[in-house]
Amino acid sequence: MKALLILGLLLLSVTVQGKVFERCELAKTLQRLGLDGYKGVSLANWMCLARWESSYNTKATSYNPGLRSTNYGLFQINSRDWCDDGKTPRALNACHVSCNALLQDDITETVACVKRVVSDPEGFRAWVTWRNRCQNQDLTQYVQGCGV
């Protein structure tokens, strides 16, 4: 019985954690999905953003009490403006997507939404984390040795 309980807890932790990409695996996936150079943003910038927003974890979420909204997925896309989680007041859902879709291991919907975000006038600067961690930094480490 104890072994069954431990097995259940292990399976639960895998479900909650989601897919955590290896650095080069994510770089190749983002390149394949058309993010390298999209709207003038290099792959290294996308990789840096994903590293600091989610540690490459598709299931990452964080709640913003001030905005009463939640950030979802690899790029921490916010429910107030970009996706619908069914609980954020006055949500815009500019990506026309469920926030749960941004937590999937298949990141196709996530990439489509970040393309929408970066197409807005604020562009890549919409991500405070990018401004604080990646802007004006040497980002070669995020793609080095990945063959991209």
Side-chain angles (χ1 to χ4, degrees), residues 3-16:
L4 190 57
L5 178 63
I6 291 171
L7 179 62
L9 290 173
L10 285 173
L11 289 174
L12 179 61
S13 70
V14 168
T15 302
V16 171

Side-chain angles (χ1 to χ4, degrees), residues 14-138:
V14 168
T15 302
V16 171
Q17 183 177 11
K19 180 173 180 66
V20 178
F21 278 89
E22 294 295 326
R23 181 177 59 86
C24 288
E25 175 191 17
L26 180 59
K28 289 175 182 176
T29 302
L30 295 180
Q31 184 180 53
R32 181 176 49 80
L33 293 173
L35 275 187
D36 189 13
Y38 187 81
K39 297 289 182 182
V41 179
S42 72
L43 183 58
N45 275 286
W46 290 109
M47 290 295 297
C48 180
L49 179 64
R51 163 61 180 90
W52 292 107
E53 287 288 10
S54 67
S55 298
Y56 308 138
N57 186 347
T58 61
K59 294 267 192 282
T61 61
S62 61
Y63 182 69
N64 302 306
L67 296 174
R68 294 174 40 204
S69 64
T70 302
N71 297 323
Y72 291 88
L74 281 174
F75 297 103
Q76 293 294 278
I77 296 170
N78 189 266
S79 62
R80 190 189 77 205
D81 295 321
W82 305 108
C83 63
D84 178 21
D85 64 3
K87 58 187 177 188
T88 302
R90 298 177 302 283
L92 299 176
N93 193 13
C95 287
H96 306 290
V97 68
S98 161
C99 295
N100 285 334
L102 304 176
L103 299 175
Q104 303 305 308
D105 294 349
D106 176 349
I107 62 168
T108 305
E109 292 282 348
T110 296
V111 169
C113 188
V114 296
K115 285 179 176 179
R116 169 65 181 89
V117 174
V118 81
S119 296
D120 250 29
E122 194 173 5
F124 209 68
R125 296 185 53 78
W127 282 279
V128 174
T129 299
W130 176 79
R131 294 192 314 252
N132 293 337
R133 297 283 193 155
C134 309
Q135 186 178 24
N136 301 320
Q137 301 297 315
D138 177 4

